[in-house]
Amino acid sequence: MDGWDSPVGTDTTVDEALAIFAALPAASYLLVLDEAGRCEGLVTRASLAAFLARSWYSERTPVRDTHHQRGPFAWPAMPLALAAESMRVKRQDVWPVTDDDGRVLGVLTARAIREALHAGT
């Protein structure tokens, strides 16, 4: 499991999220947290690509109203092979890991899972 940073709120506008991506060129995703700090989902650069024209629509659209990855999320005791298969089926490269209260503990990445499974063989 990897650490995470750069969360955004559900009310963050698409333009604000795009500005965060522009400021963090290496970032491929932003975690979306609700008002209580629980994980609501994950937004990627690709999921915001339709908004790159930066129209009045993107200035007013919150990320909660975009098409982005939502739960259920991985849990800490989930077997790695099950997480890998779930991510493969869902075609996800990144998957948040949350506790029982929905708070983010970290993220699983497809690359890290491949490395861990390879190291275990």
Side-chain angles (χ1 to χ4, degrees), residues 82-99:
L82 177 58
E85 180 63 12
S86 297
M87 290 176 68
R88 186 191 67 75
V89 168
K90 296 177 183 182
R91 296 185 184 124
Q92 296 172 330
D93 290 325
V94 180
W95 199 20
V97 179
T98 61
D99 64 14

Side-chain angles (χ1 to χ4, degrees), residues 6-19:
S6 303
V8 296
T10 55
D11 58 347
T12 300
T13 66
V14 169
D15 273 358
E16 291 168 329
L18 289 170

Side-chain angles (χ1 to χ4, degrees), residues 5-12 16-17 20 30-34 43 63:
D5 56 2
S6 303
V8 296
T10 55
D11 58 347
T12 300
E16 291 168 329
I20 293 169
L30 301 171
L31 290 174
V32 181
L33 305 181
D34 68 12
V43 66
V63 293

Side-chain angles (χ1 to χ4, degrees), residues 20-31:
I20 293 169
F21 278 128
L24 302 169
S28 60
Y29 67 89
L30 301 171
L31 290 174

